[in-house]
Amino acid sequence: MIDLHTHSRASDGELTAPELLTEAAATGVRVLALTDHDTVTGLGQAAAAALARGVTLVPGVELSTTWEGSGVHVVGLGIDPEAAVLTRGLSRLQQERRRRAELIDRRLLRLGIPGALAGAEALAGGLVTRAHFARHLVAAGHAKDAAEVFKRLLGRGKPAHVAGEWAPLSEAVAWIRSAGGVAVLAHPQRYRLTATRLRRLVEAFKEAGGTALEVITGRQPPTAALVLAGLARRFGLLASLGSDFHGPGMPWGGLGRLPALPAGVDCVWRDGALVELR
Ligand code: AMP
Ligand code: MN
Ligand code: MN
Ligand code: MN
């Protein structure tokens, strides 16, 4: 089993990197990419734990980007976490996260909910995401679960939503490539774009130097993979697969439990290694 999209406590996963690797080994995942949001701080610990557990670790990251006004995630696989251009890009994204978190905090305060950022920070093991705000708000009794928090407060168009000013899609792809990595357009169906706009996004991603589409992601309708495989073929892109695992108690996928890639697409992981880029 291979799983090329997962999170640890360095971003908004529930497990530490060593716990994630233990879980991977126990579930039978042989190849695992750790792809935390906008940070690579979990990768050192993950590499040591992977070695000890006989799992092959693919060093990765999931970058927050903006494309034509929509938030789009780009996974980088096989990156050098110390590459200078990527490091600068990550600190820019982390600064933007900080700025956005303070704005979210102010909005929640105006809605009668004080101390949300402090609460979110207390739960975070690294950078602060909306998932930490959601966990804090649930713990503080403002909602029954995270889904309700997003539906009522933090989701797009809701009163405490703040759109991040992330990196332009093309820049994020360039950072990944300059770090020696392969850029993967993450969970393309989750952006709720029209078919035409999705096609334009895939085209822009390809033009920017993107390599693969995440054809299989956790919790997507079975027909989605076929649509995405068609797009990958049409634009000459490879295919990736990953659960987007955030922890046993979180929505998104279960670790490693993924359907096979549809026929007619080539996987970014083949013959025991990530594809080489020229
Ligand atoms: P951010 O990157 O700060 O915008 O936070 C987004 C994160 O919140 C995602 O990566 C998910 O982990 C989590 N998230 C988004 N939507 C939901 C939802 N409806 N229910 C639970 N968690 C969510
Ligand atoms: Mn997340
Ligand atoms: Mn994502
Ligand atoms: Mn993810």
Side-chain angles (χ1 to χ4, degrees), residues 43-44 96 144 176 192 199 240 252 257 268 273:
L43 291 177
E96 172 57 12
K144 68 173 195 313
I176 290 167
R192 301 203 211 123
R199 218 181 307 121
S240 185
W252 322 126
R257 284 183 277 274
V268 287

Side-chain angles (χ1 to χ4, degrees), residues 64-256:
S64 304
T65 85
T66 307
W67 173 76
E68 293 188 354
S70 296
V72 166
H73 287 176
V74 178
V75 161
L77 297 175
I79 50 157
D80 167 4
E82 288 172 359
V85 172
L86 177 62
T87 302
R88 272 199 300 279
L90 289 174
S91 55
R92 204 173 111 191
L93 290 173
Q94 287 160 13
Q95 256 174 44
E96 172 57 12
R97 280 197 169 275
R98 183 77 228 160
R99 186 191 75 88
R100 185 183 66 145
E102 281 163 14
L103 292 178
I104 292 174
D105 186 57
R106 255 190 269 165
R107 295 229 174 167
L108 288 168
L109 179 62
R110 264 187 264 139
L111 293 164
I113 303 174
L117 179 54
E121 277 172 337
L123 293 174
L127 51 71
V128 173
T129 72
R130 282 184 295 164
H132 299 101
F133 276 101
R135 275 176 219 164
H136 165 69
L137 293 174
V138 171
H142 296 286
K144 68 173 195 313
D145 57 23
E148 189 193 328
V149 177
F150 278 88
K151 209 165 150 199
R152 273 196 11 232
L153 295 166
L154 293 181
R156 219 190 315 170
K158 306 302 169 177
H161 179 262
V162 179
E165 288 167 20
W166 309 118
L169 177 78
S170 58
E171 280 185 38
V173 170
W175 300 344
I176 290 167
R177 300 222 27 178
S178 85
V182 169
V184 180
L185 185 63
H187 43 62
Q189 295 261 354
R190 221 184 280 161
Y191 311 121
R192 301 203 211 123
L193 305 175
T194 62
T196 309
R197 231 166 106 70
L198 178 58
R199 218 181 307 121
R200 290 228 319 277
L201 167 61
V202 173
E203 190 173 18
F205 177 72
K206 169 77 182 184
E207 272 171 20
T211 297
L213 294 190
E214 200 170 70
V215 169
I216 300 284
T217 182
R219 302 264 173 103
Q220 80 179 350
T223 50
L226 296 175
V227 171
L228 293 172
L231 281 171
R233 271 199 304 273
R234 172 165 173 180
F235 289 100
L237 291 160
L238 299 176
S240 185
L241 70 169
S243 61
D244 205 4
F245 180 74
H246 281 71
M250 294 272 288
W252 322 126
L255 194 60

